[in-house]
Amino acid sequence: MFTTVLMIEKPLTQADVELVTTLHGDEPVSFVVLMQPRGDQDRLLRAVDDVALGYLEEAARENRVPEGEEARPPAERGLAHSVEALRAAGARADGQVVEHHPLDALRTAVEESHADEVIVLTAPHFLEEFFHRDWTSRARHKVGVPVLKLFAQQE
């Protein structure tokens, strides 16, 4: 069984599920899904990314999206949806919402699950990527297994 720790920031779409469950051909896969609720510290970066991608309406709505404690219930629902979608596709999957120190939680999940790889599935984050402050760049120095960055599909 191939084990992947999957870091996400929003619920998986059907295209996301198909992508991550077929990466290793017919080999059985198991996922540990980590989902971080949105934090208000990232609002400006998200708005800049939205503008860069041409999602002007999304940028204008950034201040209306739940953050902090208000973001936990939507994150829990998104995580449950994602885990169920992975299971429906034939994979084993469990997950948790990660509120503090996501990279430490990632390292712990990799160690506890004896993961073969980490997949970071996010929207593009141009500023963070440029300065190597995105999850993928930072995770490569922490986990000791290959880290793959994939872009989440838009609904």
Side-chain angles (χ1 to χ4, degrees):
M1 170 107 19
F2 198 87
T3 303
T4 298
V5 176
L6 179 61
M7 287 192 76
I8 61 175
E9 57 189 3
K10 59 183 181 178
L12 297 176
T13 65
Q14 190 57 41
D16 294 332
V17 171
E18 187 174 324
L19 176 63
V20 299
T21 58
T22 60
L23 281 175
H24 300 290
D26 293 333
E27 186 169 358
V29 290
S30 173
F31 292 94
V32 177
V33 183
L34 303 179
M35 183 169 198
Q36 184 180 26
R38 292 170 64 112
D40 59 0
Q41 72 278 6
D42 301 326
R43 184 182 306 151
L44 177 61
L45 292 175
R46 289 191 311 261
V48 169
D49 290 337
D50 289 339
V51 169
L53 291 168
Y55 303 141
L56 300 180
E57 289 180 24
E58 292 292 324
R61 285 195 294 255
E62 280 299 336
N63 66 342
R64 288 182 263 151
V65 176
E67 297 172 341
E69 284 298 316
E70 292 177 0
R72 185 167 178 89
E76 289 172 346
R77 288 189 300 274
L79 175 65
H81 164 82
S82 299
V83 167
E84 287 304 315
L86 290 166
R87 289 176 181 166
R92 289 173 51 194
D94 290 300
Q96 69 183 56
V97 172
V98 177
E99 293 186 71
H100 305 289
H101 311 291
L103 294 173
D104 292 338
L106 174 64
R107 182 177 50 222
T108 300
V110 166
E111 291 169 357
E112 289 177 355
S113 67
H114 305 287
D116 298 293
E117 70 179 355
V118 170
I119 296 175
V120 178
L121 186 72
T122 69
H125 298 292
F126 296 114
L127 287 178
E128 290 175 339
E129 290 168 19
F130 180 78
F131 291 108
H132 302 287
R133 300 300 304 151
D134 59 305
W135 282 349
T136 308
S137 297
R138 292 171 33 206
R140 287 190 175 116
H141 303 287
K142 282 199 161 240
V143 298
V145 298
V147 178
L148 175 65
K149 178 175 186 117
L150 298 174
F151 290 117
Q153 302 299 307
Q154 290 287 341
E155 293 266 14

PDB file of all heavy atoms in Angstrom, residues 93-124:
ATOM      1  N   ALA A  93      -8.653   6.328   3.579  1.00  0.00           N
ATOM      2  CA  ALA A  93      -8.432   7.735   3.909  1.00  0.00           C
ATOM      3  C   ALA A  93      -8.912   8.053   5.317  1.00  0.00           C
ATOM      4  O   ALA A  93      -9.957   7.562   5.752  1.00  0.00           O
ATOM      5  CB  ALA A  93      -9.146   8.633   2.902  1.00  0.00           C
ATOM      6  N   ASP A  94      -8.117   8.858   5.981  1.00  0.00           N
ATOM      7  CA  ASP A  94      -8.457   9.445   7.273  1.00  0.00           C
ATOM      8  C   ASP A  94      -7.952  10.873   7.227  1.00  0.00           C
ATOM      9  O   ASP A  94      -7.153  11.221   6.356  1.00  0.00           O
ATOM     10  CB  ASP A  94      -7.786   8.687   8.425  1.00  0.00           C
ATOM     11  CG  ASP A  94      -8.395   7.310   8.619  1.00  0.00           C
ATOM     12  OD1 ASP A  94      -9.601   7.234   8.882  1.00  0.00           O
ATOM     13  OD2 ASP A  94      -7.650   6.326   8.495  1.00  0.00           O
ATOM     14  N   GLY A  95      -8.377  11.684   8.173  1.00  0.00           N
ATOM     15  CA  GLY A  95      -7.893  13.053   8.131  1.00  0.00           C
ATOM     16  C   GLY A  95      -8.106  13.795   9.413  1.00  0.00           C
ATOM     17  O   GLY A  95      -8.742  13.302  10.346  1.00  0.00           O
ATOM     18  N   GLN A  96      -7.548  15.004   9.428  1.00  0.00           N
ATOM     19  CA  GLN A  96      -7.726  15.881  10.579  1.00  0.00           C
ATOM     20  C   GLN A  96      -7.606  17.329  10.146  1.00  0.00           C
ATOM     21  O   GLN A  96      -6.930  17.642   9.176  1.00  0.00           O
ATOM     22  CB  GLN A  96      -6.701  15.574  11.670  1.00  0.00           C
ATOM     23  CG  GLN A  96      -5.283  15.948  11.295  1.00  0.00           C
ATOM     24  CD  GLN A  96      -4.290  15.574  12.373  1.00  0.00           C
ATOM     25  OE1 GLN A  96      -4.217  14.420  12.766  1.00  0.00           O
ATOM     26  NE2 GLN A  96      -3.530  16.541  12.846  1.00  0.00           N
ATOM     27  N   VAL A  97      -8.298  18.186  10.897  1.00  0.00           N
ATOM     28  CA  VAL A  97      -8.173  19.621  10.706  1.00  0.00           C
ATOM     29  C   VAL A  97      -6.964  20.071  11.521  1.00  0.00           C
ATOM     30  O   VAL A  97      -6.813  19.683  12.678  1.00  0.00           O
ATOM     31  CB  VAL A  97      -9.451  20.363  11.164  1.00  0.00           C
ATOM     32  CG1 VAL A  97      -9.245  21.868  11.140  1.00  0.00           C
ATOM     33  CG2 VAL A  97     -10.628  19.967  10.288  1.00  0.00           C
ATOM     34  N   VAL A  98      -6.108  20.858  10.899  1.00  0.00           N
ATOM     35  CA  VAL A  98      -4.880  21.331  11.537  1.00  0.00           C
ATOM     36  C   VAL A  98      -4.973  22.840  11.680  1.00  0.00           C
ATOM     37  O   VAL A  98      -5.007  23.550  10.677  1.00  0.00           O
ATOM     38  CB  VAL A  98      -3.647  20.966  10.684  1.00  0.00           C
ATOM     39  CG1 VAL A  98      -2.383  21.524  11.311  1.00  0.00           C
ATOM     40  CG2 VAL A  98      -3.559  19.473  10.487  1.00  0.00           C
ATOM     41  N   GLU A  99      -5.037  23.315  12.917  1.00  0.00           N
ATOM     42  CA  GLU A  99      -5.188  24.756  13.120  1.00  0.00           C
ATOM     43  C   GLU A  99      -3.881  25.456  13.418  1.00  0.00           C
ATOM     44  O   GLU A  99      -3.694  26.607  13.049  1.00  0.00           O
ATOM     45  CB  GLU A  99      -6.182  25.013  14.248  1.00  0.00           C
ATOM     46  CG  GLU A  99      -7.582  24.587  13.863  1.00  0.00           C
ATOM     47  CD  GLU A  99      -8.583  24.972  14.906  1.00  0.00           C
ATOM     48  OE1 GLU A  99      -8.850  26.184  15.027  1.00  0.00           O
ATOM     49  OE2 GLU A  99      -9.090  24.080  15.593  1.00  0.00           O
ATOM     50  N   HIS A 100      -2.987  24.810  14.120  1.00  0.00           N
ATOM     51  CA  HIS A 100      -1.743  25.449  14.528  1.00  0.00           C
ATOM     52  C   HIS A 100      -0.562  24.642  14.010  1.00  0.00           C
ATOM     53  O   HIS A 100      -0.587  23.413  14.023  1.00  0.00           O
ATOM     54  CB  HIS A 100      -1.673  25.553  16.053  1.00  0.00           C
ATOM     55  CG  HIS A 100      -2.848  26.253  16.653  1.00  0.00           C
ATOM     56  ND1 HIS A 100      -3.047  27.618  16.519  1.00  0.00           N
ATOM     57  CD2 HIS A 100      -3.909  25.792  17.353  1.00  0.00           C
ATOM     58  CE1 HIS A 100      -4.164  27.954  17.137  1.00  0.00           C
ATOM     59  NE2 HIS A 100      -4.713  26.867  17.646  1.00  0.00           N
ATOM     60  N   HIS A 101       0.444  25.340  13.547  1.00  0.00           N
ATOM     61  CA  HIS A 101       1.694  24.712  13.117  1.00  0.00           C
ATOM     62  C   HIS A 101       1.467  23.580  12.114  1.00  0.00           C
ATOM     63  O   HIS A 101       1.779  22.428  12.379  1.00  0.00           O
ATOM     64  CB  HIS A 101       2.486  24.210  14.324  1.00  0.00           C
ATOM     65  CG  HIS A 101       2.633  25.239  15.397  1.00  0.00           C
ATOM     66  ND1 HIS A 101       3.409  26.354  15.234  1.00  0.00           N
ATOM     67  CD2 HIS A 101       2.068  25.327  16.633  1.00  0.00           C
ATOM     68  CE1 HIS A 101       3.338  27.093  16.341  1.00  0.00           C
ATOM     69  NE2 HIS A 101       2.527  26.503  17.199  1.00  0.00           N
ATOM     70  N   PRO A 102       0.939  23.899  10.938  1.00  0.00           N
ATOM     71  CA  PRO A 102       0.621  22.848   9.968  1.00  0.00           C
ATOM     72  C   PRO A 102       1.838  22.037   9.520  1.00  0.00           C
ATOM     73  O   PRO A 102       1.714  20.839   9.261  1.00  0.00           O
ATOM     74  CB  PRO A 102      -0.005  23.602   8.797  1.00  0.00           C
ATOM     75  CG  PRO A 102       0.427  25.017   8.965  1.00  0.00           C
ATOM     76  CD  PRO A 102       0.615  25.231  10.430  1.00  0.00           C
ATOM     77  N   LEU A 103       2.995  22.647   9.465  1.00  0.00           N
ATOM     78  CA  LEU A 103       4.166  21.884   9.026  1.00  0.00           C
ATOM     79  C   LEU A 103       4.638  20.908  10.101  1.00  0.00           C
ATOM     80  O   LEU A 103       5.138  19.825   9.783  1.00  0.00           O
ATOM     81  CB  LEU A 103       5.285  22.810   8.577  1.00  0.00           C
ATOM     82  CG  LEU A 103       4.932  23.607   7.322  1.00  0.00           C
ATOM     83  CD1 LEU A 103       6.005  24.629   7.015  1.00  0.00           C
ATOM     84  CD2 LEU A 103       4.693  22.694   6.132  1.00  0.00           C
ATOM     85  N   ASP A 104       4.459  21.262  11.362  1.00  0.00           N
ATOM     86  CA  ASP A 104       4.767  20.304  12.430  1.00  0.00           C
ATOM     87  C   ASP A 104       3.783  19.142  12.389  1.00  0.00           C
ATOM     88  O   ASP A 104       4.168  17.987  12.557  1.00  0.00           O
ATOM     89  CB  ASP A 104       4.723  20.987  13.802  1.00  0.00           C
ATOM     90  CG  ASP A 104       5.845  21.993  13.990  1.00  0.00           C
ATOM     91  OD1 ASP A 104       6.880  21.886  13.285  1.00  0.00           O
ATOM     92  OD2 ASP A 104       5.689  22.894  14.842  1.00  0.00           O
ATOM     93  N   ALA A 105       2.507  19.455  12.157  1.00  0.00           N
ATOM     94  CA  ALA A 105       1.495  18.396  12.037  1.00  0.00           C
ATOM     95  C   ALA A 105       1.796  17.514  10.828  1.00  0.00           C
ATOM     96  O   ALA A 105       1.616  16.293  10.878  1.00  0.00           O
ATOM     97  CB  ALA A 105       0.098  19.006  11.915  1.00  0.00           C
ATOM     98  N   LEU A 106       2.277  18.119   9.758  1.00  0.00           N
ATOM     99  CA  LEU A 106       2.646  17.354   8.563  1.00  0.00           C
ATOM    100  C   LEU A 106       3.769  16.382   8.883  1.00  0.00           C
ATOM    101  O   LEU A 106       3.704  15.200   8.540  1.00  0.00           O
ATOM    102  CB  LEU A 106       3.066  18.308   7.447  1.00  0.00           C
ATOM    103  CG  LEU A 106       3.605  17.665   6.176  1.00  0.00           C
ATOM    104  CD1 LEU A 106       2.540  16.819   5.490  1.00  0.00           C
ATOM    105  CD2 LEU A 106       4.129  18.733   5.233  1.00  0.00           C
ATOM    106  N   ARG A 107       4.803  16.869   9.533  1.00  0.00           N
ATOM    107  CA  ARG A 107       5.927  16.002   9.891  1.00  0.00           C
ATOM    108  C   ARG A 107       5.464  14.846  10.777  1.00  0.00           C
ATOM    109  O   ARG A 107       5.833  13.697  10.566  1.00  0.00           O
ATOM    110  CB  ARG A 107       7.039  16.789  10.578  1.00  0.00           C
ATOM    111  CG  ARG A 107       8.244  15.905  10.917  1.00  0.00           C
ATOM    112  CD  ARG A 107       9.402  16.645  11.523  1.00  0.00           C
ATOM    113  NE  ARG A 107       8.982  17.483  12.624  1.00  0.00           N
ATOM    114  CZ  ARG A 107       9.428  18.717  12.815  1.00  0.00           C
ATOM    115  NH1 ARG A 107      10.283  19.251  11.980  1.00  0.00           N
ATOM    116  NH2 ARG A 107       9.012  19.410  13.847  1.00  0.00           N
ATOM    117  N   THR A 108       4.624  15.141  11.752  1.00  0.00           N
ATOM    118  CA  THR A 108       4.097  14.095  12.635  1.00  0.00           C
ATOM    119  C   THR A 108       3.282  13.078  11.856  1.00  0.00           C
ATOM    120  O   THR A 108       3.424  11.871  12.056  1.00  0.00           O
ATOM    121  CB  THR A 108       3.244  14.732  13.758  1.00  0.00           C
ATOM    122  OG1 THR A 108       4.081  15.617  14.511  1.00  0.00           O
ATOM    123  CG2 THR A 108       2.648  13.680  14.662  1.00  0.00           C
ATOM    124  N   ALA A 109       2.427  13.545  10.953  1.00  0.00           N
ATOM    125  CA  ALA A 109       1.606  12.632  10.144  1.00  0.00           C
ATOM    126  C   ALA A 109       2.483  11.739   9.270  1.00  0.00           C
ATOM    127  O   ALA A 109       2.203  10.546   9.124  1.00  0.00           O
ATOM    128  CB  ALA A 109       0.623  13.422   9.282  1.00  0.00           C
ATOM    129  N   VAL A 110       3.537  12.290   8.691  1.00  0.00           N
ATOM    130  CA  VAL A 110       4.445  11.496   7.860  1.00  0.00           C
ATOM    131  C   VAL A 110       5.111  10.415   8.702  1.00  0.00           C
ATOM    132  O   VAL A 110       5.173   9.248   8.309  1.00  0.00           O
ATOM    133  CB  VAL A 110       5.504  12.407   7.181  1.00  0.00           C
ATOM    134  CG1 VAL A 110       6.648  11.588   6.593  1.00  0.00           C
ATOM    135  CG2 VAL A 110       4.847  13.256   6.102  1.00  0.00           C
ATOM    136  N   GLU A 111       5.586  10.798   9.886  1.00  0.00           N
ATOM    137  CA  GLU A 111       6.266   9.834  10.756  1.00  0.00           C
ATOM    138  C   GLU A 111       5.316   8.750  11.248  1.00  0.00           C
ATOM    139  O   GLU A 111       5.640   7.565  11.211  1.00  0.00           O
ATOM    140  CB  GLU A 111       6.912  10.567  11.937  1.00  0.00           C
ATOM    141  CG  GLU A 111       8.083  11.438  11.531  1.00  0.00           C
ATOM    142  CD  GLU A 111       8.557  12.371  12.644  1.00  0.00           C
ATOM    143  OE1 GLU A 111       7.943  12.392  13.742  1.00  0.00           O
ATOM    144  OE2 GLU A 111       9.540  13.094  12.399  1.00  0.00           O
ATOM    145  N   GLU A 112       4.138   9.143  11.719  1.00  0.00           N
ATOM    146  CA  GLU A 112       3.194   8.176  12.291  1.00  0.00           C
ATOM    147  C   GLU A 112       2.618   7.229  11.250  1.00  0.00           C
ATOM    148  O   GLU A 112       2.352   6.068  11.547  1.00  0.00           O
ATOM    149  CB  GLU A 112       2.069   8.908  13.024  1.00  0.00           C
ATOM    150  CG  GLU A 112       2.540   9.563  14.304  1.00  0.00           C
ATOM    151  CD  GLU A 112       1.452  10.346  15.012  1.00  0.00           C
ATOM    152  OE1 GLU A 112       0.319  10.473  14.460  1.00  0.00           O
ATOM    153  OE2 GLU A 112       1.721  10.848  16.116  1.00  0.00           O
ATOM    154  N   SER A 113       2.416   7.709  10.039  1.00  0.00           N
ATOM    155  CA  SER A 113       1.821   6.866   8.996  1.00  0.00           C
ATOM    156  C   SER A 113       2.874   6.151   8.150  1.00  0.00           C
ATOM    157  O   SER A 113       2.531   5.354   7.291  1.00  0.00           O
ATOM    158  CB  SER A 113       0.926   7.705   8.084  1.00  0.00           C
ATOM    159  OG  SER A 113       1.704   8.631   7.340  1.00  0.00           O
ATOM    160  N   HIS A 114       4.151   6.472   8.382  1.00  0.00           N
ATOM    161  CA  HIS A 114       5.242   5.936   7.549  1.00  0.00           C
ATOM    162  C   HIS A 114       4.964   6.239   6.074  1.00  0.00           C
ATOM    163  O   HIS A 114       5.095   5.379   5.210  1.00  0.00           O
ATOM    164  CB  HIS A 114       5.440   4.441   7.780  1.00  0.00           C
ATOM    165  CG  HIS A 114       5.672   4.092   9.216  1.00  0.00           C
ATOM    166  ND1 HIS A 114       6.849   4.361   9.852  1.00  0.00           N
ATOM    167  CD2 HIS A 114       4.861   3.532  10.147  1.00  0.00           C
ATOM    168  CE1 HIS A 114       6.764   3.969  11.111  1.00  0.00           C
ATOM    169  NE2 HIS A 114       5.569   3.466  11.323  1.00  0.00           N
ATOM    170  N   ALA A 115       4.576   7.492   5.824  1.00  0.00           N
ATOM    171  CA  ALA A 115       4.175   7.918   4.479  1.00  0.00           C
ATOM    172  C   ALA A 115       5.320   7.793   3.483  1.00  0.00           C
ATOM    173  O   ALA A 115       6.490   7.961   3.823  1.00  0.00           O
ATOM    174  CB  ALA A 115       3.675   9.358   4.514  1.00  0.00           C
ATOM    175  N   ASP A 116       4.936   7.507   2.254  1.00  0.00           N
ATOM    176  CA  ASP A 116       5.893   7.422   1.152  1.00  0.00           C
ATOM    177  C   ASP A 116       6.118   8.770   0.489  1.00  0.00           C
ATOM    178  O   ASP A 116       7.139   8.979  -0.160  1.00  0.00           O
ATOM    179  CB  ASP A 116       5.379   6.424   0.103  1.00  0.00           C
ATOM    180  CG  ASP A 116       5.245   5.027   0.685  1.00  0.00           C
ATOM    181  OD1 ASP A 116       6.279   4.433   1.015  1.00  0.00           O
ATOM    182  OD2 ASP A 116       4.098   4.560   0.820  1.00  0.00           O
ATOM    183  N   GLU A 117       5.130   9.666   0.618  1.00  0.00           N
ATOM    184  CA  GLU A 117       5.229  10.974  -0.031  1.00  0.00           C
ATOM    185  C   GLU A 117       4.251  11.931   0.616  1.00  0.00           C
ATOM    186  O   GLU A 117       3.358  11.528   1.356  1.00  0.00           O
ATOM    187  CB  GLU A 117       4.911  10.873  -1.521  1.00  0.00           C
ATOM    188  CG  GLU A 117       3.452  10.595  -1.806  1.00  0.00           C
ATOM    189  CD  GLU A 117       3.101  10.502  -3.280  1.00  0.00           C
ATOM    190  OE1 GLU A 117       3.974  10.749  -4.132  1.00  0.00           O
ATOM    191  OE2 GLU A 117       1.944  10.179  -3.579  1.00  0.00           O
ATOM    192  N   VAL A 118       4.431  13.206   0.278  1.00  0.00           N
ATOM    193  CA  VAL A 118       3.499  14.263   0.649  1.00  0.00           C
ATOM    194  C   VAL A 118       3.039  14.918  -0.645  1.00  0.00           C
ATOM    195  O   VAL A 118       3.839  15.172  -1.542  1.00  0.00           O
ATOM    196  CB  VAL A 118       4.169  15.324   1.549  1.00  0.00           C
ATOM    197  CG1 VAL A 118       3.279  16.546   1.723  1.00  0.00           C
ATOM    198  CG2 VAL A 118       4.551  14.730   2.891  1.00  0.00           C
ATOM    199  N   ILE A 119       1.738  15.152  -0.736  1.00  0.00           N
ATOM    200  CA  ILE A 119       1.182  15.942  -1.833  1.00  0.00           C
ATOM    201  C   ILE A 119       0.549  17.177  -1.217  1.00  0.00           C
ATOM    202  O   ILE A 119      -0.277  17.079  -0.307  1.00  0.00           O
ATOM    203  CB  ILE A 119       0.132  15.167  -2.654  1.00  0.00           C
ATOM    204  CG1 ILE A 119       0.760  13.972  -3.357  1.00  0.00           C
ATOM    205  CG2 ILE A 119      -0.543  16.098  -3.664  1.00  0.00           C
ATOM    206  CD1 ILE A 119      -0.236  13.101  -4.093  1.00  0.00           C
ATOM    207  N   VAL A 120       0.968  18.336  -1.701  1.00  0.00           N
ATOM    208  CA  VAL A 120       0.360  19.598  -1.301  1.00  0.00           C
ATOM    209  C   VAL A 120      -0.532  20.019  -2.456  1.00  0.00           C
ATOM    210  O   VAL A 120      -0.053  20.283  -3.556  1.00  0.00           O
ATOM    211  CB  VAL A 120       1.433  20.670  -0.998  1.00  0.00           C
ATOM    212  CG1 VAL A 120       0.772  21.991  -0.631  1.00  0.00           C
ATOM    213  CG2 VAL A 120       2.366  20.193   0.113  1.00  0.00           C
ATOM    214  N   LEU A 121      -1.831  20.033  -2.206  1.00  0.00           N
ATOM    215  CA  LEU A 121      -2.817  20.340  -3.240  1.00  0.00           C
ATOM    216  C   LEU A 121      -3.463  21.677  -2.890  1.00  0.00           C
ATOM    217  O   LEU A 121      -4.295  21.745  -1.980  1.00  0.00           O
ATOM    218  CB  LEU A 121      -3.860  19.225  -3.308  1.00  0.00           C
ATOM    219  CG  LEU A 121      -4.883  19.315  -4.423  1.00  0.00           C
ATOM    220  CD1 LEU A 121      -4.228  19.004  -5.765  1.00  0.00           C
ATOM    221  CD2 LEU A 121      -6.014  18.338  -4.164  1.00  0.00           C
ATOM    222  N   THR A 122      -3.040  22.746  -3.566  1.00  0.00           N
ATOM    223  CA  THR A 122      -3.530  24.085  -3.251  1.00  0.00           C
ATOM    224  C   THR A 122      -3.782  24.869  -4.524  1.00  0.00           C
ATOM    225  O   THR A 122      -3.362  24.469  -5.604  1.00  0.00           O
ATOM    226  CB  THR A 122      -2.505  24.877  -2.409  1.00  0.00           C
ATOM    227  OG1 THR A 122      -1.372  25.182  -3.218  1.00  0.00           O
ATOM    228  CG2 THR A 122      -2.086  24.141  -1.167  1.00  0.00           C
ATOM    229  N   ALA A 123      -4.431  25.993  -4.347  1.00  0.00           N
ATOM    230  CA  ALA A 123      -4.513  26.972  -5.434  1.00  0.00           C
ATOM    231  C   ALA A 123      -3.133  27.595  -5.582  1.00  0.00           C
ATOM    232  O   ALA A 123      -2.330  27.546  -4.653  1.00  0.00           O
ATOM    233  CB  ALA A 123      -5.557  28.035  -5.080  1.00  0.00           C
ATOM    234  N   PRO A 124      -2.836  28.182  -6.714  1.00  0.00           N
ATOM    235  CA  PRO A 124      -1.543  28.872  -6.855  1.00  0.00           C
ATOM    236  C   PRO A 124      -1.433  30.027  -5.850  1.00  0.00           C
ATOM    237  O   PRO A 124      -2.399  30.746  -5.612  1.00  0.00           O
ATOM    238  CB  PRO A 124      -1.582  29.417  -8.282  1.00  0.00           C
ATOM    239  CG  PRO A 124      -2.611  28.616  -8.983  1.00  0.00           C
ATOM    240  CD  PRO A 124      -3.622  28.213  -7.946  1.00  0.00           C
TER     241      PRO A 124
END
